[in-house]
Amino acid sequence: MRVTEIIERKRDGHELTTAEIEFFIQGYARDEIPDYQAAAWLMAVYLRGMSRRETVDLTMAMARSGDILNLKDVLPISVDKHSSGGVGDKTSLVVLPMVAACGVPVAKMSGRGLGFTGGTLDKLESISGYRVALSIAEFKEIVRKHGIVLCGQSSNLAPADGKLYALRDVTATVNSLPLIASSIMSKKIAAGADAIVLDVKVGFGAFMTDIEQAKQLALLMVQIGASVGKRTIAMLSDMNQPLGAAVGNALEVKEAIACLQDGGPRDLREHCLAIAAQMLRLARHPEGDEPEYALAEYMAEAAETLRNGSAFAKFRELVIAQGGDVRQVDDPSLLPQAQLVESIPAPRSGYVEQLNALDVAMAAVELGAGRERKGDPIDHAVGVLVHKKVGEYVTAGEPLFTLHANDSARLARAKARLARTVVYSSTPTLPLPTFYDVVTDAERRS
Amino acid sequence: MRVTEIIERKRDGHELTTAEIEFFIQGYARDEIPDYQAAAWLMAVYLRGMSRRETVDLTMAMARSGDILNLKDVLPISVDKHSSGGVGDKTSLVVLPMVAACGVPVAKMSGRGLGFTGGTLDKLESISGYRVALSIAEFKEIVRKHGIVLCGQSSNLAPADGKLYALRDVTATVNSLPLIASSIMSKKIAAGADAIVLDVKVGFGAFMTDIEQAKQLALLMVQIGASVGKRTIAMLSDMNQPLGAAVGNALEVKEAIACLQDGGPRDLREHCLAIAAQMLRLARHPEGDEPEYALAEYMAEAAETLRNGSAFAKFRELVIAQGGDVRQVDDPSLLPQAQLVESIPAPRSGYVEQLNALDVAMAAVELGAGRERKGDPIDHAVGVLVHKKVGEYVTAGEPLFTLHANDSARLARAKARLARTVVYSSTPTLPLPTFYDVVTDAERRS
């Protein structure tokens, strides 16, 4: 098989065979195919697209390029979740303890933040001592003992995806549905998932800003899952405004703790309960044979773990198991604190019509909460608190945002970023929905 | 300016600005833009195309990536010629001495052969001692003194084109009209051409097998030339069968000498006279103000140099000036000779309907006359002589080909290659035309 012929065939709009995709991906993973050939191929895929069959093959080829975790010895069924990345998204910190507290063990590998999106690992590292790097043996041992584990991704999971993702970033080939879908699904499959709940964000603060495009991506991933025997459900959730109130690592951990203690922002709670209910549904009915009313019951079951403290207890157990300082969980004022705390008052009265999540994220990055390049250090203490959400009324002079900063120049730049973030209306505005849609595999339903 | 944004804009089908193309090409030439970004960009160009303005900008950006020769001090007007590459194409060896013998000095840089196409430099190196590597000072001194010079391309002419060409070869982006046209024209412009005669080959043994596509390429190059003030004429010539009879380096030099001595194959002579006439026309009437009958007169003038021996004398002068052994020119039996010479007889009688130039070329490569990879050594003595051309009648048992070989295994493989090259007809067939069309700049004519 010749590399240039495979590029040529995709360039000319042909459907690649399973063997061609396998050859290309394994060759690239083993450094036998150079970056420049992969780059030309990626651009051809970007412009010519891929059939569903090709996308499934690409997913599995990338999953097989490294280890595929087998969690059968520690989990009866491995239900994973994945968020496509957003602003203020601390969902995993709340959902995993809830699900585990319901008796469904969860073993998840998360990523770091890049650009305007935060990463679960960075949030967890706000807690002193929390170890995100675990060996596979430790990973399994912790979930076996505690029913929950949450750490970084092993470097040998879907290495072809890691290489291709880095290349896409510098060759203007990121925004392609088959490439995005196969990248996400290959990592989940390599991480040993039997069933997957996808949280596909859509809005100003997400990779996808268009609901129809997000729905297409969601459907494609659900179809990939179905094709390879991994039941997959995708939730389309709003990311026009940040999720919850806190954006920034320690600030988000505090908010997650509040939520686990049956408090916190209403939208975050609603969001986490819905995701948890879907995970419980997949775990309890892997064959998709649950009754209609099941989801409401799972939501009630998850809510009960917040009310009775079992979810918070599970979070404490997780932090202790991974070496974190649990005193910071019990007293969040011990988490990293910023030196400069400043409120931004509303310049006028009115109903909040728009609150651009991307602006808030960029302000947080400006403060040091995010990284522009892989490997950049981040400041766990800094970030932004959002006091008013879309649909709420604000009186001139009331605080809109609170900025937590460690540098006055950065603080000034972050303030400038937030100057035009809020759009006001004199007449009442509707709050944004938490979810737009749930996408399941239509073929299974029919 | 950001590299990924330029890739993105071409990916999305936008027209790049002059500044963007300049930035990209100079950055790539200086190794500031990596191969993988150039590869993604090339694929986007391949699939999205380029406007005429972009193609002109790309041509000039590549020409400016290195030195641009100024030949004004040695030539009143520099008329260059370029062949798109074919089989048995020894045109330059005949045309340049003819034009020089007409009093129009010619200074040409040629390339080496790759794949199935032969290179003028390889042919010239059949002559012992012929120096193809000249400094610019030597190049100018020889043309000033002798009115003719023919050597290899200086490495610092259009280096961006050299880099991009190598990259296109391994990323399935060779066959794109704007990329081919800009590549050819950038080299000619960098080599100091004021006017250019393009010999665009079309047929089995050419890069272009489709006349319409070849015409489009020819027109694009003529338009580029017109846009940058270099009058350009393109001739579309047949490459379904080899040009002349000889394919292989020393064999082709012998045939060129025969032609310069007023003999040789009819089609080669006709071809060379037409190209020479166009070069004379551009040199004598750079403003395009020649009368209608001029071309016929130039053809007669060129033919006279063959008849009166002045073209052959000019070729001898060239060989001596560049250090070649002129005894081999005076007695071509002194040129490299193959050890094994074997004829292939016609298996049946009939009119030749087809004689695939590509098969003949591949047989010659099999014998060692060409190279599969850049830098491979070649055997100057070996090759194929073609005794019958399309339209001729052949009697069973008459020799069709003569193979010149230095290795019996290679000889056997070459014979196998030629087994199905000729298609016969029981009824008379038409000979192939030498030229299909002449393409000039329509806007100038109107």
Side-chain angles (χ1 to χ4, degrees):
Chain A
M1 225 174 276
R2 282 181 49 228
V3 177
T4 46
E5 249 169 50
I6 298 174
I7 302 173
E8 220 168 277
R9 280 177 28 78
K10 182 42 71 185
R11 177 198 76 191
D12 295 343
H14 300 297
E15 194 177 4
L16 299 180
T17 66
T18 304
E20 285 172 329
I21 291 172
E22 186 72 14
F23 173 85
F24 200 95
I25 295 302
Q26 307 315 342
Y28 183 59
R30 285 194 299 261
D31 295 328
E32 291 162 11
I33 294 176
D35 280 338
Y36 51 81
Q37 289 187 316
W41 182 80
L42 283 170
M43 184 57 81
V45 169
Y46 185 102
L47 288 171
R48 293 299 200 169
M50 271 191 158
S51 71
R52 180 171 150 190
R53 203 225 79 235
E54 284 178 292
T55 310
V56 170
D57 286 342
L58 176 59
T59 304
M60 291 312 294
M62 293 199 295
R64 275 193 297 264
S65 68
D67 305 330
I68 295 190
L69 283 194
N70 183 340
L71 301 174
K72 293 273 175 282
D73 50 340
V74 288
L75 295 183
I77 174 168
S78 168
V79 181
D80 208 343
K81 79 166 272 289
H82 176 82
S83 155
S84 67
V87 180
D89 183 8
K90 65 285 291 177
T91 310
S92 291
L93 302 187
V94 180
V95 165
L96 267 58
M98 277 198 282
V99 174
C102 292
V104 171
V106 280
K108 179 167 161 54
M109 293 181 173
S110 275
R112 294 195 180 277
L114 188 61
F116 64 84
T117 63
T120 299
L121 294 192
D122 298 315
K123 293 168 203 192
L124 284 168
E125 283 181 338
S126 304
I127 301 167
S128 315
Y130 191 98
R131 287 171 55 222
V132 297
L134 300 181
S135 70
I136 298 300
E138 288 177 301
F139 180 76
K140 287 189 169 185
E141 183 54 23
I142 292 174
V143 72
R144 199 191 55 73
K145 232 173 170 167
H146 304 283
I148 187 168
V149 65
L150 184 45
C151 70
Q153 194 188 283
S154 143
S155 65
N156 203 32
L157 293 188
D161 171 65
K163 268 190 84 176
L164 276 177
Y165 191 86
L167 188 60
R168 282 165 58 203
D169 198 40
V170 291
T171 55
T173 51
V174 169
N175 204 16
S176 148
L177 290 186
L179 295 177
I180 297 171
S182 56
S183 170
I184 292 173
M185 293 301 284
S186 68
K187 273 181 293 203
K188 294 287 117 183
I189 291 166
D194 296 313
I196 304 157
V197 176
L198 296 167
D199 181 8
V200 179
K201 310 282 192 190
V202 56
F204 298 125
F207 290 115
M208 300 269 160
T209 52
D210 176 74
I211 290 193
E212 277 316 306
Q213 219 197 352
K215 233 181 243 183
Q216 276 180 41
L217 173 65
L219 183 63
L220 185 54
M221 292 193 288
V222 165
Q223 289 172 336
I224 293 172
S227 298
V228 299
K230 315 279 180 188
R231 201 172 165 217
T232 304
I233 289 172
M235 316 274 290
L236 258 63
S237 66
D238 179 74
M239 194 33 72
N240 283 299
Q241 63 184 355
L243 181 61
V247 178
N249 300 284
L251 295 173
E252 293 191 41
V253 170
K254 265 184 229 178
E255 187 168 278
I257 291 171
C259 193
L260 285 165
Q261 292 174 331
D262 212 19
R266 184 199 53 77
D267 64 333
L268 175 63
R269 177 188 173 90
E270 189 188 319
H271 180 90
C272 292
L273 286 173
I275 301 281
Q278 295 288 4
M279 291 180 73
L280 290 172
R281 169 193 197 169
L282 290 178
R284 300 266 170 77
H285 293 275
E287 303 306 325
D289 53 350
E290 68 277 8
E292 276 295 320
Y293 57 81
L295 211 58
E297 286 196 355
Y298 294 137
M299 217 175 287
E301 186 182 350
E304 177 60 16
T305 67
L306 299 179
R307 207 200 51 76
N308 67 19
S310 60
F312 179 65
K314 200 44 97 173
F315 184 67
R316 286 187 85 249
E317 195 179 341
L318 169 72
V319 169
I320 295 167
Q322 293 197 214
D325 184 352
V326 79
R327 289 172 303 172
Q328 292 177 315
V329 176
D330 293 332
D331 178 3
S333 72
L334 298 177
L335 285 166
Q337 301 281 349
Q339 290 164 339
L340 309 169
V341 178
E342 195 176 317
S343 283
I344 304 185
R348 56 161 282 188
S349 298
Y351 294 93
V352 177
E353 191 175 343
Q354 185 182 297
L355 166 61
N356 191 316
L358 184 58
D359 290 337
V360 177
M362 295 315 290
V365 170
E366 203 73 82
L367 291 168
R371 49 175 74 83
E372 282 172 55
R373 263 166 240 259
K374 216 173 149 177
D376 282 355
I378 60 169
D379 184 340
H380 292 94
V382 301
V384 179
L385 290 177
V386 178
H387 301 299
K388 297 287 173 183
K389 302 286 285 268
V390 171
E392 293 186 66
Y393 185 80
V394 60
T395 309
E398 245 191 306
L400 260 184
F401 301 107
T402 302
L403 275 59
H404 291 239
N406 277 325
D407 177 304
S408 55
R410 280 167 169 262
L411 176 61
R413 289 203 299 272
K415 279 173 77 172
R417 283 268 188 191
L418 292 172
R420 267 180 298 274
T421 300
V422 177
V423 176
Y424 301 88
S425 164
S426 307
T427 54
T429 54
L430 284 174
L432 288 170
T434 305
F435 293 102
Y436 293 105
D437 210 345
V438 179
V439 179
T440 56
D441 184 26
E443 284 168 65
R444 277 188 83 113
R445 265 185 293 168
S446 67
Chain B
M1 224 175 275
R2 282 181 51 227
V3 177
T4 47
E5 248 168 51
I6 297 174
I7 302 172
E8 218 168 278
R9 279 177 28 78
K10 182 40 73 185
R11 177 197 76 190
D12 295 343
H14 299 297
E15 192 176 5
L16 299 180
T17 66
T18 305
E20 285 172 328
I21 291 172
E22 186 72 15
F23 173 85
F24 201 93
I25 295 302
Q26 306 315 342
Y28 183 59
R30 285 193 300 260
D31 295 328
E32 292 162 10
I33 293 176
D35 280 339
Y36 53 80
Q37 289 187 315
W41 182 81
L42 284 170
M43 184 57 81
V45 169
Y46 185 101
L47 288 171
R48 293 299 200 170
M50 272 192 156
S51 70
R52 180 169 151 192
R53 202 223 81 234
E54 284 177 294
T55 310
V56 170
D57 286 341
L58 176 57
T59 305
M60 291 311 294
M62 293 199 294
R64 274 193 297 263
S65 68
D67 304 330
I68 295 190
L69 283 194
N70 184 341
L71 301 175
K72 293 272 174 284
D73 50 341
V74 287
L75 295 183
I77 174 169
S78 168
V79 181
D80 208 342
K81 80 166 270 288
H82 176 82
S83 156
S84 66
V87 181
D89 183 8
K90 64 285 290 177
T91 311
S92 290
L93 303 186
V94 180
V95 165
L96 266 57
M98 278 199 280
V99 174
C102 292
V104 171
V106 281
K108 179 165 163 55
M109 291 180 174
S110 275
R112 294 196 179 276
L114 189 61
F116 63 84
T117 63
T120 299
L121 293 192
D122 299 315
K123 295 170 202 193
L124 284 168
E125 285 181 339
S126 305
I127 302 167
S128 314
Y130 191 99
R131 288 173 54 223
V132 298
L134 300 181
S135 70
I136 298 300
E138 287 176 302
F139 180 77
K140 287 189 171 187
E141 183 55 22
I142 293 174
V143 73
R144 198 191 55 72
K145 235 175 171 164
H146 304 283
I148 187 168
V149 65
L150 184 46
C151 68
Q153 195 188 282
S154 141
S155 65
N156 203 31
L157 293 187
D161 171 64
K163 269 191 84 177
L164 276 177
Y165 191 86
L167 187 60
R168 281 165 57 204
D169 198 39
V170 291
T171 55
T173 50
V174 168
N175 204 14
S176 147
L177 290 186
L179 295 178
I180 297 171
S182 57
S183 169
I184 292 172
M185 293 300 285
S186 69
K187 273 182 292 204
K188 295 286 118 183
I189 291 166
D194 297 313
I196 305 156
V197 176
L198 297 167
D199 181 7
V200 179
K201 309 282 192 193
V202 57
F204 299 126
F207 290 115
M208 300 267 159
T209 52
D210 176 75
I211 292 194
E212 277 316 305
Q213 220 197 351
K215 232 181 243 184
Q216 275 180 41
L217 173 65
L219 183 62
L220 184 54
M221 292 192 288
V222 165
Q223 287 172 337
I224 294 171
S227 297
V228 300
K230 316 278 180 189
R231 202 174 163 215
T232 304
I233 289 172
M235 315 276 289
L236 258 63
S237 66
D238 180 74
M239 193 33 71
N240 284 298
Q241 62 183 355
L243 181 61
V247 178
N249 300 285
L251 295 172
E252 293 191 43
V253 169
K254 266 184 229 177
E255 187 168 277
I257 290 170
C259 194
L260 285 164
Q261 291 173 333
D262 213 21
R266 184 199 54 77
D267 64 334
L268 175 63
R269 176 189 173 90
E270 191 189 315
H271 180 90
C272 291
L273 285 173
I275 301 281
Q278 294 288 5
M279 290 181 74
L280 290 172
R281 170 193 196 168
L282 290 177
R284 300 268 170 76
H285 293 276
E287 303 305 326
D289 53 350
E290 69 277 7
E292 276 296 321
Y293 57 83
L295 210 57
E297 287 195 355
Y298 294 138
M299 217 173 288
E301 184 181 350
E304 177 61 18
T305 67
L306 298 179
R307 207 200 51 76
N308 67 19
S310 61
F312 179 66
K314 199 45 97 173
F315 184 66
R316 289 186 84 253
E317 194 179 340
L318 169 72
V319 170
I320 295 167
Q322 294 196 211
D325 183 352
V326 80
R327 288 172 304 173
Q328 293 177 313
V329 176
D330 292 332
D331 178 3
S333 71
L334 299 176
L335 285 166
Q337 301 281 349
Q339 291 164 340
L340 310 169
V341 177
E342 195 176 317
S343 281
I344 303 184
R348 56 162 282 189
S349 298
Y351 295 92
V352 177
E353 191 175 342
Q354 186 182 296
L355 167 61
N356 192 316
L358 185 57
D359 290 337
V360 178
M362 294 316 290
V365 171
E366 205 71 83
L367 292 168
R371 50 175 74 83
E372 282 172 54
R373 265 166 237 259
K374 217 172 147 177
D376 281 355
I378 60 171
D379 183 341
H380 291 95
V382 302
V384 180
L385 289 178
V386 178
H387 302 299
K388 297 286 173 186
K389 303 286 286 266
V390 171
E392 291 185 66
Y393 185 81
V394 62
T395 309
E398 246 192 304
L400 261 184
F401 301 107
T402 303
L403 274 59
H404 290 242
N406 277 325
D407 178 302
S408 56
R410 280 168 170 261
L411 175 62
R413 288 202 299 272
K415 278 173 77 172
R417 284 266 189 194
L418 292 172
R420 267 181 297 274
T421 300
V422 176
V423 176
Y424 301 88
S425 165
S426 308
T427 54
T429 53
L430 283 175
L432 288 169
T434 305
F435 293 101
Y436 295 103
D437 209 346
V438 179
V439 178
T440 56
D441 184 27
E443 284 168 64
R444 280 188 81 116
R445 268 187 289 168
S446 66

